[in-house]
Amino acid sequence: MPSLQELIQTHEQEINAFQPANAADLEAYRIKYLGTKGIVKQIFGEMKNVPVEQKKEAGQLLNAFKQLAEKKYEDFQHLQSDAAKKGPALDNTLPGTKLPLGTRHPLRMIENRIVSIFEKIGFSVATGPEIEDDWHNFTSLNIHKDHPARDMQDTFYVAQNPDWVLRTHTSSVQSRILETQPLPVRVICPGRVYRNETISARAHCFFHQCEGLYVDKNVSFADLKQTLYYFVTEMFGEGTKVRFRPSYFPFTEPSAEMDISCTICGGDGCSLCKHTGWVEIMGCGMVHPDMLRNFNIDPGVYTGFAFGMGVERITQLKFQVNDLRLYSQNDVRFLRQFQSI
Ligand code: PHE
């Protein structure tokens, strides 16, 4: 049997020579020497066999041995933290993952602008459903069953119910307002509308309109014109010219279409204005007395004006977008161009 001293010496040599290469080596070392069943513990267990007169010296030897074993372990503990660093460490100083910044859709930007221009002069926003019934989309607006205007607005019918359509214009919201709101009313109604059109650069089966309605005592065509002049100046700037052409809508009388001088060529003539210098931006007119009567409003007491504009057209004029399909293709290269506006 080797003496305690010899035993310690052999292990001391082993410990001194030990060079762990990685955290696993170090852990094996810890278990071997410092673990609960490790060599240090075992040698301490031998103390009971040491004669009393040698106990003091043996105790000192053992303590020195234990310290040596522990120091070696501590000297290489960096291996453990190195290993931990290689794992999925959290570095709080790293900048966070940047989420891409979205942009407002150009149509929404223009819609917001239209709404805020009218809000400044006391219009409030009203909306209505996109699936409409025949009454609100057509009949209440004097567009009766066999009316040719129904052909003008090739309609999507909802298969489950022949009385339901995808609204062909936001004028349906006019009906809902006159039906429910006490007079006077002054509303602007933005929304999506649908028509059964073949999709091309110039036409789409859905697009956006903004409807305006003002009904009160003594509302005149002059009020309509002045309101729309104001809108055009705010939207397109001073100096934009306006002209009204007589037109026809079943729910307004008299009716007009309003053109503005072409914002692209300034009126000189270009492909957008088909070399006329003018672009049509909306339909308008005085609310038809029959329409007022449809909602039990006395046209002898109340009069009103209404207008409806295409949001795509205004956007096209503002941003020179030449293909309607771009608005719904979700191409981020197109959409990002409006980031800084
Ligand atoms: N609803 C008409 C259209 O879609 C526009 C319009 C609205 C005309 C209000 C007159 C008054 O073309």
Side-chain angles (χ1 to χ4, degrees), residues 141 143 152-153 168-172 174 193 195 207 209-212 248-252 255-257 280 282-287 305-309:
L141 293 157
I143 313 173
M152 270 158 47
Q153 319 201 339
T168 57
H169 52 182
T170 44
S171 299
S172 57
Q174 279 192 45
V193 301
R195 289 184 199 175
F207 53 98
Q209 288 188 330
C210 234
E211 191 86 3
Y248 171 76
F249 299 102
F251 39 92
T252 48
S255 303
E257 258 155 329
E280 185 214 315
M282 68 174 98
C284 58
M286 301 305 292
V287 180
F305 66 70
F307 56 87
M309 69 183 97

PDB file of all heavy atoms in Angstrom, residues 141 143 152-153 168-172 174 193 195 207 209-212 248-252 255-257 280 282-287 305-309, ligand 1:
ATOM      1  N   LEU A 141     -82.258  56.248 -55.795  1.00  0.00           N
ATOM      2  CA  LEU A 141     -81.542  57.291 -56.533  1.00  0.00           C
ATOM      3  C   LEU A 141     -82.175  57.525 -57.908  1.00  0.00           C
ATOM      4  O   LEU A 141     -81.521  58.053 -58.821  1.00  0.00           O
ATOM      5  CB  LEU A 141     -80.072  56.875 -56.701  1.00  0.00           C
ATOM      6  CG  LEU A 141     -79.253  56.811 -55.397  1.00  0.00           C
ATOM      7  CD1 LEU A 141     -78.055  55.891 -55.541  1.00  0.00           C
ATOM      8  CD2 LEU A 141     -78.783  58.200 -54.978  1.00  0.00           C
ATOM      9  N   ILE A 143     -82.848  55.404 -60.117  1.00  0.00           N
ATOM     10  CA  ILE A 143     -82.371  54.488 -61.161  1.00  0.00           C
ATOM     11  C   ILE A 143     -83.282  53.266 -61.088  1.00  0.00           C
ATOM     12  O   ILE A 143     -83.038  52.333 -60.319  1.00  0.00           O
ATOM     13  CB  ILE A 143     -80.892  54.088 -60.953  1.00  0.00           C
ATOM     14  CG1 ILE A 143     -80.025  55.327 -60.645  1.00  0.00           C
ATOM     15  CG2 ILE A 143     -80.347  53.354 -62.169  1.00  0.00           C
ATOM     16  CD1 ILE A 143     -78.583  55.006 -60.273  1.00  0.00           C
ATOM     17  N   MET A 152     -75.123  51.564 -67.642  1.00  0.00           N
ATOM     18  CA  MET A 152     -73.900  52.370 -67.549  1.00  0.00           C
ATOM     19  C   MET A 152     -72.984  51.799 -66.472  1.00  0.00           C
ATOM     20  O   MET A 152     -71.776  51.939 -66.522  1.00  0.00           O
ATOM     21  CB  MET A 152     -74.233  53.815 -67.122  1.00  0.00           C
ATOM     22  CG  MET A 152     -74.508  54.766 -68.264  1.00  0.00           C
ATOM     23  SD  MET A 152     -75.481  56.202 -67.739  1.00  0.00           S
ATOM     24  CE  MET A 152     -74.707  56.791 -66.251  1.00  0.00           C
ATOM     25  N   GLN A 153     -73.607  51.200 -65.488  1.00  0.00           N
ATOM     26  CA  GLN A 153     -72.828  50.764 -64.329  1.00  0.00           C
ATOM     27  C   GLN A 153     -72.889  49.251 -64.218  1.00  0.00           C
ATOM     28  O   GLN A 153     -73.448  48.722 -63.289  1.00  0.00           O
ATOM     29  CB  GLN A 153     -73.404  51.384 -63.065  1.00  0.00           C
ATOM     30  CG  GLN A 153     -73.793  52.830 -63.271  1.00  0.00           C
ATOM     31  CD  GLN A 153     -73.878  53.601 -61.981  1.00  0.00           C
ATOM     32  OE1 GLN A 153     -74.034  53.021 -60.928  1.00  0.00           O
ATOM     33  NE2 GLN A 153     -73.778  54.897 -62.078  1.00  0.00           N
ATOM     34  N   THR A 168     -72.196  50.131 -56.843  1.00  0.00           N
ATOM     35  CA  THR A 168     -71.546  50.611 -58.058  1.00  0.00           C
ATOM     36  C   THR A 168     -71.053  52.036 -57.909  1.00  0.00           C
ATOM     37  O   THR A 168     -70.351  52.551 -58.766  1.00  0.00           O
ATOM     38  CB  THR A 168     -72.529  50.553 -59.242  1.00  0.00           C
ATOM     39  OG1 THR A 168     -73.680  51.337 -58.892  1.00  0.00           O
ATOM     40  CG2 THR A 168     -72.970  49.119 -59.511  1.00  0.00           C
ATOM     41  N   HIS A 169     -71.475  52.675 -56.845  1.00  0.00           N
ATOM     42  CA  HIS A 169     -71.021  54.045 -56.568  1.00  0.00           C
ATOM     43  C   HIS A 169     -71.276  54.375 -55.096  1.00  0.00           C
ATOM     44  O   HIS A 169     -72.054  53.680 -54.426  1.00  0.00           O
ATOM     45  CB  HIS A 169     -71.712  55.072 -57.481  1.00  0.00           C
ATOM     46  CG  HIS A 169     -73.211  54.978 -57.491  1.00  0.00           C
ATOM     47  ND1 HIS A 169     -74.005  55.783 -58.267  1.00  0.00           N
ATOM     48  CD2 HIS A 169     -74.069  54.174 -56.809  1.00  0.00           C
ATOM     49  CE1 HIS A 169     -75.279  55.484 -58.073  1.00  0.00           C
ATOM     50  NE2 HIS A 169     -75.343  54.507 -57.199  1.00  0.00           N
ATOM     51  N   THR A 170     -70.614  55.408 -54.604  1.00  0.00           N
ATOM     52  CA  THR A 170     -70.828  55.785 -53.199  1.00  0.00           C
ATOM     53  C   THR A 170     -72.095  56.612 -53.031  1.00  0.00           C
ATOM     54  O   THR A 170     -72.435  57.004 -51.915  1.00  0.00           O
ATOM     55  CB  THR A 170     -69.606  56.557 -52.643  1.00  0.00           C
ATOM     56  OG1 THR A 170     -69.190  57.514 -53.617  1.00  0.00           O
ATOM     57  CG2 THR A 170     -68.464  55.626 -52.312  1.00  0.00           C
ATOM     58  N   SER A 171     -72.827  56.856 -54.116  1.00  0.00           N
ATOM     59  CA  SER A 171     -74.102  57.573 -53.975  1.00  0.00           C
ATOM     60  C   SER A 171     -75.072  56.779 -53.100  1.00  0.00           C
ATOM     61  O   SER A 171     -76.013  57.349 -52.542  1.00  0.00           O
ATOM     62  CB  SER A 171     -74.723  57.839 -55.349  1.00  0.00           C
ATOM     63  OG  SER A 171     -73.852  58.642 -56.117  1.00  0.00           O
ATOM     64  N   SER A 172     -74.836  55.476 -52.969  1.00  0.00           N
ATOM     65  CA  SER A 172     -75.673  54.674 -52.076  1.00  0.00           C
ATOM     66  C   SER A 172     -75.604  55.205 -50.638  1.00  0.00           C
ATOM     67  O   SER A 172     -76.568  55.091 -49.882  1.00  0.00           O
ATOM     68  CB  SER A 172     -75.230  53.217 -52.108  1.00  0.00           C
ATOM     69  OG  SER A 172     -73.861  53.128 -51.757  1.00  0.00           O
ATOM     70  N   GLN A 174     -75.357  58.339 -49.845  1.00  0.00           N
ATOM     71  CA  GLN A 174     -76.301  59.476 -49.804  1.00  0.00           C
ATOM     72  C   GLN A 174     -77.663  59.011 -49.324  1.00  0.00           C
ATOM     73  O   GLN A 174     -78.298  59.644 -48.473  1.00  0.00           O
ATOM     74  CB  GLN A 174     -76.530  60.017 -51.218  1.00  0.00           C
ATOM     75  CG  GLN A 174     -75.507  60.944 -51.774  1.00  0.00           C
ATOM     76  CD  GLN A 174     -76.058  61.600 -53.046  1.00  0.00           C
ATOM     77  OE1 GLN A 174     -77.218  62.036 -53.063  1.00  0.00           O
ATOM     78  NE2 GLN A 174     -75.249  61.679 -54.076  1.00  0.00           N
ATOM     79  N   VAL A 193     -65.854  50.938 -54.596  1.00  0.00           N
ATOM     80  CA  VAL A 193     -67.031  50.605 -55.414  1.00  0.00           C
ATOM     81  C   VAL A 193     -66.631  49.590 -56.481  1.00  0.00           C
ATOM     82  O   VAL A 193     -65.436  49.402 -56.733  1.00  0.00           O
ATOM     83  CB  VAL A 193     -67.642  51.877 -56.061  1.00  0.00           C
ATOM     84  CG1 VAL A 193     -68.054  52.885 -55.000  1.00  0.00           C
ATOM     85  CG2 VAL A 193     -66.686  52.500 -57.051  1.00  0.00           C
ATOM     86  N   ARG A 195     -67.488  47.650 -60.366  1.00  0.00           N
ATOM     87  CA  ARG A 195     -68.217  47.560 -61.638  1.00  0.00           C
ATOM     88  C   ARG A 195     -67.639  46.432 -62.472  1.00  0.00           C
ATOM     89  O   ARG A 195     -66.420  46.190 -62.429  1.00  0.00           O
ATOM     90  CB  ARG A 195     -68.150  48.880 -62.409  1.00  0.00           C
ATOM     91  CG  ARG A 195     -68.995  49.950 -61.724  1.00  0.00           C
ATOM     92  CD  ARG A 195     -69.064  51.235 -62.468  1.00  0.00           C
ATOM     93  NE  ARG A 195     -69.495  52.289 -61.530  1.00  0.00           N
ATOM     94  CZ  ARG A 195     -69.570  53.565 -61.815  1.00  0.00           C
ATOM     95  NH1 ARG A 195     -69.249  53.983 -63.031  1.00  0.00           N
ATOM     96  NH2 ARG A 195     -69.966  54.439 -60.916  1.00  0.00           N
ATOM     97  N   PHE A 207     -62.759  50.210 -57.672  1.00  0.00           N
ATOM     98  CA  PHE A 207     -62.035  51.478 -57.556  1.00  0.00           C
ATOM     99  C   PHE A 207     -62.646  52.269 -56.399  1.00  0.00           C
ATOM    100  O   PHE A 207     -63.471  51.730 -55.649  1.00  0.00           O
ATOM    101  CB  PHE A 207     -62.039  52.255 -58.879  1.00  0.00           C
ATOM    102  CG  PHE A 207     -63.402  52.467 -59.486  1.00  0.00           C
ATOM    103  CD1 PHE A 207     -64.083  53.668 -59.305  1.00  0.00           C
ATOM    104  CD2 PHE A 207     -64.017  51.463 -60.219  1.00  0.00           C
ATOM    105  CE1 PHE A 207     -65.333  53.874 -59.867  1.00  0.00           C
ATOM    106  CE2 PHE A 207     -65.280  51.655 -60.776  1.00  0.00           C
ATOM    107  CZ  PHE A 207     -65.931  52.858 -60.601  1.00  0.00           C
ATOM    108  N   GLN A 209     -64.293  55.910 -54.667  1.00  0.00           N
ATOM    109  CA  GLN A 209     -64.948  57.195 -54.888  1.00  0.00           C
ATOM    110  C   GLN A 209     -65.053  57.955 -53.571  1.00  0.00           C
ATOM    111  O   GLN A 209     -64.922  57.369 -52.498  1.00  0.00           O
ATOM    112  CB  GLN A 209     -66.374  56.983 -55.423  1.00  0.00           C
ATOM    113  CG  GLN A 209     -66.437  56.489 -56.844  1.00  0.00           C
ATOM    114  CD  GLN A 209     -67.857  56.492 -57.387  1.00  0.00           C
ATOM    115  OE1 GLN A 209     -68.826  56.329 -56.627  1.00  0.00           O
ATOM    116  NE2 GLN A 209     -67.996  56.667 -58.686  1.00  0.00           N
ATOM    117  N   CYS A 210     -65.294  59.236 -53.711  1.00  0.00           N
ATOM    118  CA  CYS A 210     -65.589  60.053 -52.542  1.00  0.00           C
ATOM    119  C   CYS A 210     -66.835  60.844 -52.886  1.00  0.00           C
ATOM    120  O   CYS A 210     -66.848  61.609 -53.864  1.00  0.00           O
ATOM    121  CB  CYS A 210     -64.421  61.002 -52.270  1.00  0.00           C
ATOM    122  SG  CYS A 210     -63.814  60.863 -50.626  1.00  0.00           S
ATOM    123  N   GLU A 211     -67.855  60.624 -52.112  1.00  0.00           N
ATOM    124  CA  GLU A 211     -69.142  61.267 -52.378  1.00  0.00           C
ATOM    125  C   GLU A 211     -69.281  62.454 -51.439  1.00  0.00           C
ATOM    126  O   GLU A 211     -68.824  62.395 -50.299  1.00  0.00           O
ATOM    127  CB  GLU A 211     -70.238  60.243 -52.057  1.00  0.00           C
ATOM    128  CG  GLU A 211     -71.602  60.618 -52.498  1.00  0.00           C
ATOM    129  CD  GLU A 211     -71.838  60.205 -53.945  1.00  0.00           C
ATOM    130  OE1 GLU A 211     -70.956  59.578 -54.562  1.00  0.00           O
ATOM    131  OE2 GLU A 211     -72.920  60.524 -54.444  1.00  0.00           O
ATOM    132  N   GLY A 212     -69.921  63.504 -51.902  1.00  0.00           N
ATOM    133  CA  GLY A 212     -70.230  64.613 -51.002  1.00  0.00           C
ATOM    134  C   GLY A 212     -71.719  64.895 -51.063  1.00  0.00           C
ATOM    135  O   GLY A 212     -72.341  64.753 -52.125  1.00  0.00           O
ATOM    136  N   TYR A 248     -75.720  64.253 -67.132  1.00  0.00           N
ATOM    137  CA  TYR A 248     -76.957  63.636 -66.667  1.00  0.00           C
ATOM    138  C   TYR A 248     -76.680  62.583 -65.602  1.00  0.00           C
ATOM    139  O   TYR A 248     -75.842  61.694 -65.799  1.00  0.00           O
ATOM    140  CB  TYR A 248     -77.705  62.964 -67.837  1.00  0.00           C
ATOM    141  CG  TYR A 248     -78.866  62.150 -67.332  1.00  0.00           C
ATOM    142  CD1 TYR A 248     -80.044  62.771 -66.920  1.00  0.00           C
ATOM    143  CD2 TYR A 248     -78.772  60.762 -67.208  1.00  0.00           C
ATOM    144  CE1 TYR A 248     -81.098  62.039 -66.401  1.00  0.00           C
ATOM    145  CE2 TYR A 248     -79.829  60.020 -66.699  1.00  0.00           C
ATOM    146  CZ  TYR A 248     -80.978  60.660 -66.291  1.00  0.00           C
ATOM    147  OH  TYR A 248     -82.017  59.934 -65.774  1.00  0.00           O
ATOM    148  N   PHE A 249     -77.340  62.720 -64.480  1.00  0.00           N
ATOM    149  CA  PHE A 249     -77.408  61.649 -63.481  1.00  0.00           C
ATOM    150  C   PHE A 249     -78.844  61.596 -63.013  1.00  0.00           C
ATOM    151  O   PHE A 249     -79.473  62.656 -62.830  1.00  0.00           O
ATOM    152  CB  PHE A 249     -76.487  61.936 -62.274  1.00  0.00           C
ATOM    153  CG  PHE A 249     -75.032  62.047 -62.646  1.00  0.00           C
ATOM    154  CD1 PHE A 249     -74.420  63.294 -62.758  1.00  0.00           C
ATOM    155  CD2 PHE A 249     -74.272  60.911 -62.904  1.00  0.00           C
ATOM    156  CE1 PHE A 249     -73.095  63.405 -63.119  1.00  0.00           C
ATOM    157  CE2 PHE A 249     -72.941  61.014 -63.257  1.00  0.00           C
ATOM    158  CZ  PHE A 249     -72.338  62.261 -63.374  1.00  0.00           C
ATOM    159  N   PRO A 250     -79.416  60.427 -62.814  1.00  0.00           N
ATOM    160  CA  PRO A 250     -80.838  60.337 -62.452  1.00  0.00           C
ATOM    161  C   PRO A 250     -81.162  60.956 -61.100  1.00  0.00           C
ATOM    162  O   PRO A 250     -82.306  61.291 -60.834  1.00  0.00           O
ATOM    163  CB  PRO A 250     -81.104  58.824 -62.425  1.00  0.00           C
ATOM    164  CG  PRO A 250     -79.947  58.183 -63.095  1.00  0.00           C
ATOM    165  CD  PRO A 250     -78.789  59.114 -62.961  1.00  0.00           C
ATOM    166  N   PHE A 251     -80.137  61.093 -60.269  1.00  0.00           N
ATOM    167  CA  PHE A 251     -80.407  61.573 -58.900  1.00  0.00           C
ATOM    168  C   PHE A 251     -80.026  63.027 -58.676  1.00  0.00           C
ATOM    169  O   PHE A 251     -80.113  63.533 -57.557  1.00  0.00           O
ATOM    170  CB  PHE A 251     -79.707  60.667 -57.876  1.00  0.00           C
ATOM    171  CG  PHE A 251     -78.329  60.230 -58.326  1.00  0.00           C
ATOM    172  CD1 PHE A 251     -77.203  60.965 -57.966  1.00  0.00           C
ATOM    173  CD2 PHE A 251     -78.167  59.104 -59.121  1.00  0.00           C
ATOM    174  CE1 PHE A 251     -75.949  60.571 -58.393  1.00  0.00           C
ATOM    175  CE2 PHE A 251     -76.900  58.702 -59.556  1.00  0.00           C
ATOM    176  CZ  PHE A 251     -75.788  59.438 -59.198  1.00  0.00           C
ATOM    177  N   THR A 252     -79.604  63.710 -59.740  1.00  0.00           N
ATOM    178  CA  THR A 252     -79.337  65.152 -59.605  1.00  0.00           C
ATOM    179  C   THR A 252     -79.987  65.897 -60.769  1.00  0.00           C
ATOM    180  O   THR A 252     -80.101  65.373 -61.883  1.00  0.00           O
ATOM    181  CB  THR A 252     -77.818  65.457 -59.591  1.00  0.00           C
ATOM    182  OG1 THR A 252     -77.189  64.754 -60.666  1.00  0.00           O
ATOM    183  CG2 THR A 252     -77.174  65.086 -58.278  1.00  0.00           C
ATOM    184  N   SER A 255     -77.506  68.459 -63.577  1.00  0.00           N
ATOM    185  CA  SER A 255     -76.295  67.682 -63.321  1.00  0.00           C
ATOM    186  C   SER A 255     -75.139  68.254 -64.142  1.00  0.00           C
ATOM    187  O   SER A 255     -75.361  68.880 -65.183  1.00  0.00           O
ATOM    188  CB  SER A 255     -76.491  66.228 -63.756  1.00  0.00           C
ATOM    189  OG  SER A 255     -77.593  65.645 -63.113  1.00  0.00           O
ATOM    190  N   ALA A 256     -73.943  68.015 -63.654  1.00  0.00           N
ATOM    191  CA  ALA A 256     -72.769  68.505 -64.388  1.00  0.00           C
ATOM    192  C   ALA A 256     -71.594  67.559 -64.174  1.00  0.00           C
ATOM    193  O   ALA A 256     -71.581  66.775 -63.224  1.00  0.00           O
ATOM    194  CB  ALA A 256     -72.391  69.907 -63.897  1.00  0.00           C
ATOM    195  N   GLU A 257     -70.651  67.672 -65.102  1.00  0.00           N
ATOM    196  CA  GLU A 257     -69.373  67.025 -64.864  1.00  0.00           C
ATOM    197  C   GLU A 257     -68.356  68.138 -64.714  1.00  0.00           C
ATOM    198  O   GLU A 257     -68.440  69.164 -65.403  1.00  0.00           O
ATOM    199  CB  GLU A 257     -69.015  66.085 -66.018  1.00  0.00           C
ATOM    200  CG  GLU A 257     -69.297  64.657 -65.631  1.00  0.00           C
ATOM    201  CD  GLU A 257     -69.558  63.752 -66.819  1.00  0.00           C
ATOM    202  OE1 GLU A 257     -70.088  64.222 -67.846  1.00  0.00           O
ATOM    203  OE2 GLU A 257     -69.219  62.586 -66.703  1.00  0.00           O
ATOM    204  N   GLU A 280     -61.578  65.310 -66.597  1.00  0.00           N
ATOM    205  CA  GLU A 280     -62.794  65.236 -65.793  1.00  0.00           C
ATOM    206  C   GLU A 280     -62.450  64.624 -64.448  1.00  0.00           C
ATOM    207  O   GLU A 280     -61.739  63.621 -64.392  1.00  0.00           O
ATOM    208  CB  GLU A 280     -63.794  64.335 -66.526  1.00  0.00           C
ATOM    209  CG  GLU A 280     -65.126  64.269 -65.854  1.00  0.00           C
ATOM    210  CD  GLU A 280     -65.773  62.903 -66.013  1.00  0.00           C
ATOM    211  OE1 GLU A 280     -65.765  62.353 -67.137  1.00  0.00           O
ATOM    212  OE2 GLU A 280     -66.255  62.391 -64.991  1.00  0.00           O
ATOM    213  N   MET A 282     -65.015  64.776 -61.620  1.00  0.00           N
ATOM    214  CA  MET A 282     -66.186  64.323 -60.850  1.00  0.00           C
ATOM    215  C   MET A 282     -67.511  64.662 -61.515  1.00  0.00           C
ATOM    216  O   MET A 282     -67.600  65.507 -62.406  1.00  0.00           O
ATOM    217  CB  MET A 282     -66.157  64.884 -59.432  1.00  0.00           C
ATOM    218  CG  MET A 282     -66.344  66.377 -59.298  1.00  0.00           C
ATOM    219  SD  MET A 282     -66.453  66.825 -57.558  1.00  0.00           S
ATOM    220  CE  MET A 282     -64.788  67.353 -57.221  1.00  0.00           C
ATOM    221  N   GLY A 283     -68.534  63.932 -61.054  1.00  0.00           N
ATOM    222  CA  GLY A 283     -69.906  64.247 -61.423  1.00  0.00           C
ATOM    223  C   GLY A 283     -70.552  64.972 -60.255  1.00  0.00           C
ATOM    224  O   GLY A 283     -70.175  64.753 -59.101  1.00  0.00           O
ATOM    225  N   CYS A 284     -71.520  65.836 -60.570  1.00  0.00           N
ATOM    226  CA  CYS A 284     -72.134  66.592 -59.479  1.00  0.00           C
ATOM    227  C   CYS A 284     -73.496  67.142 -59.917  1.00  0.00           C
ATOM    228  O   CYS A 284     -73.884  67.011 -61.078  1.00  0.00           O
ATOM    229  CB  CYS A 284     -71.226  67.736 -59.038  1.00  0.00           C
ATOM    230  SG  CYS A 284     -70.827  68.890 -60.375  1.00  0.00           S
ATOM    231  N   GLY A 285     -74.191  67.743 -58.999  1.00  0.00           N
ATOM    232  CA  GLY A 285     -75.470  68.362 -59.354  1.00  0.00           C
ATOM    233  C   GLY A 285     -76.294  68.665 -58.122  1.00  0.00           C
ATOM    234  O   GLY A 285     -75.870  68.392 -56.990  1.00  0.00           O
ATOM    235  N   MET A 286     -77.484  69.242 -58.369  1.00  0.00           N
ATOM    236  CA  MET A 286     -78.413  69.520 -57.268  1.00  0.00           C
ATOM    237  C   MET A 286     -79.239  68.262 -57.030  1.00  0.00           C
ATOM    238  O   MET A 286     -79.736  67.652 -57.987  1.00  0.00           O
ATOM    239  CB  MET A 286     -79.338  70.690 -57.632  1.00  0.00           C
ATOM    240  CG  MET A 286     -78.599  71.979 -57.936  1.00  0.00           C
ATOM    241  SD  MET A 286     -77.494  72.503 -56.592  1.00  0.00           S
ATOM    242  CE  MET A 286     -78.673  72.932 -55.313  1.00  0.00           C
ATOM    243  N   VAL A 287     -79.359  67.881 -55.772  1.00  0.00           N
ATOM    244  CA  VAL A 287     -80.090  66.650 -55.457  1.00  0.00           C
ATOM    245  C   VAL A 287     -81.500  66.716 -56.071  1.00  0.00           C
ATOM    246  O   VAL A 287     -82.214  67.705 -55.907  1.00  0.00           O
ATOM    247  CB  VAL A 287     -80.186  66.446 -53.927  1.00  0.00           C
ATOM    248  CG1 VAL A 287     -80.959  65.167 -53.598  1.00  0.00           C
ATOM    249  CG2 VAL A 287     -78.785  66.390 -53.316  1.00  0.00           C
ATOM    250  N   PHE A 305     -76.910  69.779 -52.689  1.00  0.00           N
ATOM    251  CA  PHE A 305     -76.059  69.379 -53.811  1.00  0.00           C
ATOM    252  C   PHE A 305     -75.304  68.099 -53.447  1.00  0.00           C
ATOM    253  O   PHE A 305     -75.161  67.761 -52.261  1.00  0.00           O
ATOM    254  CB  PHE A 305     -75.105  70.497 -54.251  1.00  0.00           C
ATOM    255  CG  PHE A 305     -74.039  70.911 -53.272  1.00  0.00           C
ATOM    256  CD1 PHE A 305     -72.959  70.072 -52.959  1.00  0.00           C
ATOM    257  CD2 PHE A 305     -74.079  72.186 -52.689  1.00  0.00           C
ATOM    258  CE1 PHE A 305     -71.969  70.476 -52.090  1.00  0.00           C
ATOM    259  CE2 PHE A 305     -73.082  72.589 -51.796  1.00  0.00           C
ATOM    260  CZ  PHE A 305     -72.031  71.734 -51.497  1.00  0.00           C
ATOM    261  N   ALA A 306     -74.884  67.411 -54.498  1.00  0.00           N
ATOM    262  CA  ALA A 306     -74.112  66.181 -54.305  1.00  0.00           C
ATOM    263  C   ALA A 306     -73.012  66.140 -55.353  1.00  0.00           C
ATOM    264  O   ALA A 306     -73.133  66.746 -56.429  1.00  0.00           O
ATOM    265  CB  ALA A 306     -75.009  64.957 -54.436  1.00  0.00           C
ATOM    266  N   PHE A 307     -71.961  65.461 -55.029  1.00  0.00           N
ATOM    267  CA  PHE A 307     -70.892  65.249 -56.013  1.00  0.00           C
ATOM    268  C   PHE A 307     -70.223  63.923 -55.715  1.00  0.00           C
ATOM    269  O   PHE A 307     -70.329  63.389 -54.611  1.00  0.00           O
ATOM    270  CB  PHE A 307     -69.869  66.400 -55.980  1.00  0.00           C
ATOM    271  CG  PHE A 307     -69.252  66.639 -54.624  1.00  0.00           C
ATOM    272  CD1 PHE A 307     -68.126  65.940 -54.223  1.00  0.00           C
ATOM    273  CD2 PHE A 307     -69.806  67.574 -53.739  1.00  0.00           C
ATOM    274  CE1 PHE A 307     -67.565  66.158 -52.966  1.00  0.00           C
ATOM    275  CE2 PHE A 307     -69.252  67.793 -52.481  1.00  0.00           C
ATOM    276  CZ  PHE A 307     -68.128  67.090 -52.093  1.00  0.00           C
ATOM    277  N   GLY A 308     -69.592  63.381 -56.728  1.00  0.00           N
ATOM    278  CA  GLY A 308     -68.873  62.120 -56.520  1.00  0.00           C
ATOM    279  C   GLY A 308     -67.622  62.115 -57.379  1.00  0.00           C
ATOM    280  O   GLY A 308     -67.696  62.354 -58.592  1.00  0.00           O
ATOM    281  N   MET A 309     -66.487  61.883 -56.735  1.00  0.00           N
ATOM    282  CA  MET A 309     -65.234  61.905 -57.515  1.00  0.00           C
ATOM    283  C   MET A 309     -64.511  60.573 -57.417  1.00  0.00           C
ATOM    284  O   MET A 309     -64.675  59.828 -56.448  1.00  0.00           O
ATOM    285  CB  MET A 309     -64.329  63.042 -57.036  1.00  0.00           C
ATOM    286  CG  MET A 309     -63.762  62.851 -55.655  1.00  0.00           C
ATOM    287  SD  MET A 309     -62.800  64.299 -55.183  1.00  0.00           S
ATOM    288  CE  MET A 309     -64.010  65.201 -54.211  1.00  0.00           C
TER     289      MET A 309
HETATM  290  N1  PHE B   1     -72.410  58.491 -58.611  1.00  0.00           N
HETATM  291  C1  PHE B   1     -71.898  59.159 -59.767  1.00  0.00           C
HETATM  292  C2  PHE B   1     -70.941  58.246 -60.498  1.00  0.00           C
HETATM  293  O1  PHE B   1     -70.580  57.222 -59.981  1.00  0.00           O
HETATM  294  C3  PHE B   1     -71.211  60.459 -59.422  1.00  0.00           C
HETATM  295  C4  PHE B   1     -72.137  61.482 -58.847  1.00  0.00           C
HETATM  296  C5  PHE B   1     -72.265  61.594 -57.490  1.00  0.00           C
HETATM  297  C6  PHE B   1     -72.832  62.359 -59.664  1.00  0.00           C
HETATM  298  C7  PHE B   1     -73.111  62.569 -56.959  1.00  0.00           C
HETATM  299  C8  PHE B   1     -73.656  63.329 -59.149  1.00  0.00           C
HETATM  300  C9  PHE B   1     -73.787  63.431 -57.784  1.00  0.00           C
HETATM  301  O2  PHE B   1     -70.490  58.519 -61.572  1.00  0.00           O
END
